[in-house]
Each structure stands twice: as structure tokens, then as C-alpha cells.
Amino acid sequence: MAFPSVFDYGALRTEFENAGISTHFIPLIWKYVLQNPICELDEVPSLPSSAYPLLRSKFRALTSSLSSAVDSKDRVTTKLLISLQNGTSVEAVIMRYDTRLGKYDGKPRPGGPRSTLCVSSQVGCKMGCKFCATGTMGFKNNLSSGEIVEQLVHAHHFSHIRNVVFMGMGEPLNNYAAVVEAIQIMTGFPFQLSPKRITVSTVGIIHAINKLHDDLPNVNLAVSLHAPDQDIRCQIMPAARAFPLGKLMDALQTYQKNSQHKIFIEYIMLDGVNDQEQHAHQLGSLLEMLKVVVNLIPFNPIGTKSCFRTSTEQNVRKFQKILRGIYNVRTTVRQEMGQDISGACGQLVVNLSEQRSVGSAGLLTDIEDLRI
């Protein structure tokens, strides 16, 4: 029998309210479980006596378990394989940075070491993007809010997590309610992440973008655009047929007008497909009415059957120069992390053969600070 996690806030709140137990005790339960992940719920101190039989009979401290944790050779990336109670698995990736090693507006950044956690929102994905390994799994099921939050609980015991990006397995806005609830939990006690350091990525689910600001007003939005016109988008992202580029851009303009936030644009660089000079000019023209940061992402191999090649460094730099110099669009080139453990962008697909690699983490230059 499957039990919900104590981090499934909606279910736990309903049970507490029906039993006449104050919901103010819920964050105290979360704090204890965060600090003691293998505990029994009977061990949580200072709860009303009526809470213990309810928790024992209807919930579990954690419904998922850590199957493996694999470190990259440079020790800056750790990929977690997390087993769910329904027998499926998801992956989450910890990426370590040091903000002092980068520059902002030509000046050294303040701060110090930090970690970003890339979380999954679904087992598999419906979107079927042709350059993404997760799409080869097909769609299995949505994660509950608790299963999403539990990825943060597992990661907490490897590194202090400052940023969370919903860029792992799945399309977050296709699991809208659970993602919103998970973020609300992450920004509350005891996690207390700043919403400005949480980013939700989407291929462009227009109806969900239209309500995202109202539900999560200070969270960052990232859009996996990957092409400057509808034809190319449909070729490499079949789901784009349901979200025409013109309507998507209208939705982004409305979102930005309401939120006053910059929007992150993710653009994977595919040799000969979307990385030519004309594509850079098309993209610049498309985005010049928005305040955006374009993140150019080198394509990561997803197996020998892939029909795509990685753009040359020369083409990437030329593309960036056009966006910056002609269209004044702020543009970064993502420094890939975790390629050797298939933990880089587009490479997440469950591989049960991976084993734990042990070592202390090093640090990278911070190339994607989410408070831009």
C-alpha cells in the first residue's frame, strides 16, 4: 500500500484539519525529518498526542530512497538516483559553484561556495524533444509535491542547497499543481529558499505560463526555446505544435509586464540546425521586445543513435556576438557540468547500473547565477 509523504502538504493539512490538529505543527515535522531522514514519525517531538497515530497510520517520513550518488571526475557535480515507492526512479543533480570566481559587469562577484539542485518533476516526459535523453523514456507518471521536495531532502545531506532549478526529468508545467505546492514548501520553514533562487523551466505551456506569476510571483521563469521560428521548433520539439511561437511570445510579454522579471531563454546549439548566423539574427529580432538572458547550451551527446552534433565553439561565439552586439541581448554560454556521469543538460535518463563514487567536491566558476 502506498503512503503519502509528510511533505505532501495538501494531504497532511487535510488530515490534520479533519482531526482538529493545528497545521502549525507541520513545519516542525518537516524540520525533524530534514535533520533525521531515516526517522520514524513517532520520534518527532512535541506534537499533540492525537497526531502520532494519524501520522503512523497514514504517512511516511520519506517515501523515496537514495539508490546511488555518482560524482563527476572533477567532483563538482553529483547525480542522485532516487527510487520511488511505485518502483520507478528519477534523477536529481547537485552542481557546485563559487560565486567569487566569476565576474558581474566586469567586477568580482561577492559571495562564496554554493550549490544548485536540478530537480525532476515527472518520471519521463511527454514532450519528446529529439535532443533530450529523458524523452526516450516516454512518460511514466507525475511526481507528487512530496516526491519533488524529497529530492531536496536527499540533496541536503550532500551539500547546502542555495538554488533549485526545475530542469530535470519532465515538463514542470505539465505537473503544475504539484510543482507549485513543492515550491511553496521549499520557500517556507525549514528550507527557507529564496523564491528568487528558484527557476521553473518549460517548453512553453502557454496556459500555465499565464497563471504562473499569480501563483509564484517571485520565482524565475526559463523557457526552452531552442529555435527562432516555429518550423525548426516543431522539427526538434514535436510538442511545439501545440504552442505556436507567436502565441508563446505574446504570453511571455504579458508575463513580463505583470512580473517585471527577466526571463531566461534556453537555447541548445545544434550544428547546422539552429546555430547559423541567420538563426542568431532571427532570435535577436524575436527577443528584442523582451528583457531576457539567453543561455546558449552546447548539445550533450545522448547516445550513438543521436542525429545531432554539437555546434563548433566558433559558431557558438559568433552566435553570441550577434545577439550581444547587434540586438543588445544579454547572452551567456553554459559551462557544462557532469557530462561524464550523464548529468548535464538533456542527459537525464534513469540508468540503474550506476554506482556510488566517493570524494570531496571541488568548485567551479559561477556561470549561471540565477539572480541576474
Side-chain angles (χ1 to χ4, degrees), residues 266-329:
E266 298 169 285
Y267 195 97
I268 195 162
M269 299 293 288
L270 303 172
D271 183 47
V273 177
N274 64 353
D275 68 338
Q276 302 302 298
E277 290 186 36
Q278 69 266 27
H279 300 134
H281 286 290
Q282 286 178 286
L283 185 62
S285 297
L286 184 70
L287 298 175
E288 59 184 350
M289 298 301 293
L290 292 168
K291 294 173 65 177
V292 300
V293 178
V294 174
N295 195 2
L296 302 179
I297 306 170
F299 169 65
N300 293 305
I302 56 172
T304 57
K305 295 181 180 180
S306 175
C307 59
F308 299 115
R309 298 187 305 273
T310 304
S311 297
T312 64
E313 185 176 348
Q314 180 182 9
N315 279 358
V316 173
R317 295 300 174 189
K318 190 181 299 181
F319 202 99
Q320 181 184 37
K321 186 175 181 180
I322 291 171
L323 290 178
R324 281 181 169 179
I326 297 178
Y327 298 94
N328 197 31
V329 173

Side-chain angles (χ1 to χ4, degrees), residues 205-235:
I205 313 297
I206 294 172
H207 65 273
I209 291 173
N210 289 338
K211 58 182 180 177
L212 186 65
H213 173 66
D214 289 337
D215 292 327
L216 298 170
N218 293 309
V219 167
N220 297 298
L221 173 65
V223 179
S224 296
L225 199 62
H226 301 316
D229 64 54
Q230 181 69 1
D231 288 343
I232 298 176
R233 280 197 99 217
C234 290
Q235 290 173 24

